[in-house]
Amino acid sequence: MLAPNPNAEVIAHRRTLWRWHFYAGLFVMPLLVVLAITGTIYCFQPQIEPLLYRDRMVVADTHGPQLSRDALLAKAAASEPRGAVPTLAQIEADRTRSAEFVFRLPSGESESVYVNPYDGAVLGTLSVEHRLMKQVRNLHRGLMLGKTGELVMELAGCWTLVMIGTGIALWWPSRSNARQGGVWLPRLSLQGRAWWRDLHAVGGIWLAIGALFFVMSGLPWSGSWGKEFKALATSASLGYPKGAWGEAHVHSAAPGAASKNADEHAMHGMHMKMDDLPLHQTPWAVGATTVPDSADASSPAARASLDDVVAIAAKNGIADDYGIALPDKPTGVYTVSYFPADPRAERTLHIDRYSGRVLSDIDYASYGRIAQWISYGTSLHMGRYFGLANQIVCAAISLGLATLAVTGFVMWWKRRPARELGAPARPVKRPPMRAWRGGLTLLGIFFPLMGATMLAVWCIDRLAFGAKRAAA
């Protein structure tokens, strides 16, 4: 009886990993290029938009007094067509920035109106839906294909985890190739496909941690799994605050009759959530919290002005670069959303439109532990946490991942037989690989959408390529 050949088992093990790496890369590769390019562009939004729309966003500082926010809103409203409804005021402390107000047009679309804060001159408008950074963001999150695109990008993130895991395993050096080089630095003396392989493997190992971080910090924002994960984290008291009066350490005023009615509407799924508001950015931790209602006005003339809300926000430590969602109904509220670079300073205020009373105050300390981690991950993912250096690091990782996609494509193209897919051949004897199979199973359970596609890939591979000659 012949003893089993240990080398044959190693080869079978490696070839199986290579097949999974190949299939993951085949799907992820083009999407990774899209994610890398759009992510890099969006990361530099603070620098790009003022240059791109300088005539509307930037003004000369006259060192004189600025008009009140209410006066500026009135100037913006006068320039809009009949039926346009103001929905958002963007507050900037920088004296060289124009005042921005968003209006919902009768057509259903929204546009930003920019006003000179010194003389009230309307500088121009921008479509909210069609401005460049909105399009870049839609490409990044869902290929501009709506829900279908969001699911595809979510799958791309999940399959990137498989690509990272199998890539590290394929790179893992044995004693022999550790001495030969090509582990931490590519062997530039090589030629042909071997040169591309070294560049791909070494570059991949240096970028693995960054790629893993990008995936794990981006998935909580995904359209399918992200929403379910948010709900699960909340049920375990680890996610966003519940938003009900006095719960989850949310500082709230005692509810009046209108607030009680709001709670009843929320129970029937009729109440607005933070994610429904026309804000440019909303912290992940508060996205699904309920927006309260203002109490019934005792006097129609008594109402808080926009300037009052700005003063209340400043009193609560919010002074710059935040949005105020404007009330759109008699019982609506002003919602102040502060989404700074430092997640510890995140703040959400709901303010009664009549009395100016702070109905709800949600800060970072109110978040569950999971939500706090995700807030940090989001800030780092977007290149915001430590300024320009963070942006440069994110851009380097993103463009590095795009380079990996290109090198992977070149390697495949060089080894691919004519008119064939060129997938690595299945080994004659399937190695046990219990740890890998168990890990992939757990990954498929944790990410159900990915689990379904893994099963589909396995079935297609067995049916379409199972009859072909396997490699020894």
Side-chain angles (χ1 to χ4, degrees):
M1 182 176 178
L2 294 175
N5 185 351
N7 289 331
E9 186 172 331
V10 170
I11 293 172
H13 182 97
R14 185 176 181 82
R15 192 172 292 278
T16 301
L17 291 174
W18 186 14
R19 286 172 66 79
W20 277 103
H21 191 73
F22 172 82
Y23 285 127
L26 195 66
F27 169 62
V28 169
M29 189 166 51
L31 300 175
L32 197 60
V33 173
V34 174
L35 284 168
I37 294 173
T38 55
T40 300
I41 295 172
Y42 194 75
C43 186
F44 288 94
Q45 178 185 7
Q47 290 90 346
I48 292 175
E49 284 205 322
L51 289 175
L52 196 61
Y53 307 118
R54 185 176 181 83
D55 58 330
R56 281 155 280 192
M57 290 186 170
V58 180
V59 298
D61 182 2
T62 66
H63 302 288
Q66 295 186 345
L67 299 176
S68 69
R69 298 288 175 181
D70 290 282
L72 295 171
L73 177 57
K75 294 281 188 182
S79 70
E80 288 293 275
R82 184 187 297 273
V85 178
T87 59
L88 174 69
Q90 193 66 25
I91 308 301
E92 298 272 0
D94 187 345
R95 292 179 63 86
T96 64
R97 294 296 292 269
S98 60
E100 179 186 359
F101 302 96
V102 176
F103 288 80
R104 185 173 61 252
L105 303 177
S107 65
E109 294 192 347
S110 296
E111 72 176 7
S112 293
V113 180
Y114 298 91
V115 184
N116 189 313
Y118 299 100
D119 60 14
V122 175
L123 303 175
T125 63
L126 276 177
S127 168
V128 170
E129 289 83 6
H130 302 295
R131 65 197 296 171
L132 174 64
M133 285 301 165
K134 182 69 172 181
Q135 299 299 309
V136 169
R137 187 182 183 189
N138 287 342
L139 267 172
H140 188 77
R141 296 189 67 178
L143 299 173
M144 299 179 69
L145 296 175
K147 186 66 176 178
T148 300
E150 289 181 7
L151 293 177
V152 170
M153 285 309 211
E154 181 179 319
L155 278 173
C158 294
W159 276 94
T160 299
L161 297 176
V162 176
M163 196 168 62
I164 293 171
T166 54
I168 292 174
L170 290 168
W171 164 88
W172 198 266
S174 64
R175 291 182 180 179
S176 58
N177 62 21
R179 290 193 299 268
Q180 293 171 4
V183 176
W184 298 108
L185 291 173
R187 293 166 291 185
L188 300 180
S189 59
L190 297 177
Q191 294 182 348
R193 183 172 175 272
W195 183 87
W196 288 100
R197 184 185 62 226
D198 254 30
L199 190 64
H200 184 83
V202 175
I205 204 63
W206 282 106
L207 291 169
I209 293 177
L212 181 63
F213 170 77
F214 271 170
V215 172
M216 299 310 296
S217 58
L219 280 174
W221 292 89
S222 60
S224 175
W225 182 86
K227 290 182 179 180
E228 295 300 323
F229 177 70
K230 187 182 287 189
L232 178 63
T234 301
S235 65
S237 299
L238 296 172
Y240 55 80
K242 294 179 181 178
W245 301 100
E247 291 187 21
H249 309 292
V250 178
H251 311 294
S252 311
S259 299
K260 292 177 181 177
N261 291 336
D263 290 340
E264 292 177 4
H265 288 310
M267 290 175 64
H268 290 86
M270 298 170 59
H271 214 261
M272 185 173 290
K273 304 291 185 181
M274 276 290 294
D275 280 338
D276 299 325
L277 296 178
L279 295 161
H280 290 330
Q281 296 283 0
T282 302
W284 183 89
V286 299
T289 56
T290 300
V291 178
D293 279 344
S294 294
D296 292 331
S298 56
S299 170
R303 63 180 59 200
S305 67
L306 184 56
D307 289 292
D308 292 334
V309 175
V310 172
I312 293 168
K315 185 179 178 181
N316 283 272
I318 306 172
D320 184 27
D321 194 16
Y322 63 94
I324 302 176
L326 307 177
D328 61 351
K329 58 183 180 180
T331 57
V333 296
Y334 290 101
T335 296
V336 175
S337 181
Y338 186 40
F339 191 46
D342 187 345
R344 293 171 297 182
E346 288 180 6
R347 198 82 171 272
T348 302
L349 303 177
H350 297 297
I351 300 172
D352 189 292
R353 70 176 298 182
Y354 301 108
S355 67
R357 183 177 59 173
V358 177
L359 300 177
S360 180
D361 177 359
I362 307 175
D363 58 12
Y364 176 82
S366 305
Y367 300 170
R369 184 64 62 190
I370 295 294
Q372 290 179 345
W373 293 342
I374 289 174
S375 293
Y376 269 100
T378 299
S379 188
L380 289 165
H381 184 108
M382 296 177 66
R384 295 157 47 95
Y385 187 63
F386 49 94
L388 180 61
N390 198 164
Q391 292 175 304
I392 292 173
V393 169
C394 286
I397 295 173
S398 294
L399 296 179
L401 293 173
T403 303
L404 286 183
V406 172
T407 57
F409 175 82
V410 172
M411 288 166 56
W412 167 70
W413 190 260
K414 283 180 172 293
R415 64 172 291 277
R416 167 181 168 270
R419 293 187 295 275
E420 289 188 22
L421 180 61
R426 183 186 296 109
V428 173
K429 184 178 180 181
R430 186 177 69 177
M433 300 182 68
R434 295 183 182 87
W436 278 99
R437 296 180 193 281
L440 288 172
T441 300
L442 289 176
L443 202 61
I445 293 172
F446 194 66
F447 299 106
L449 191 62
M450 181 191 178
T453 57
M454 279 198 298
L455 183 60
V457 168
W458 182 83
C459 291
I460 292 172
D461 179 57
R462 300 291 291 187
L463 293 173
F465 307 109
K468 293 191 175 183
R469 182 175 61 86

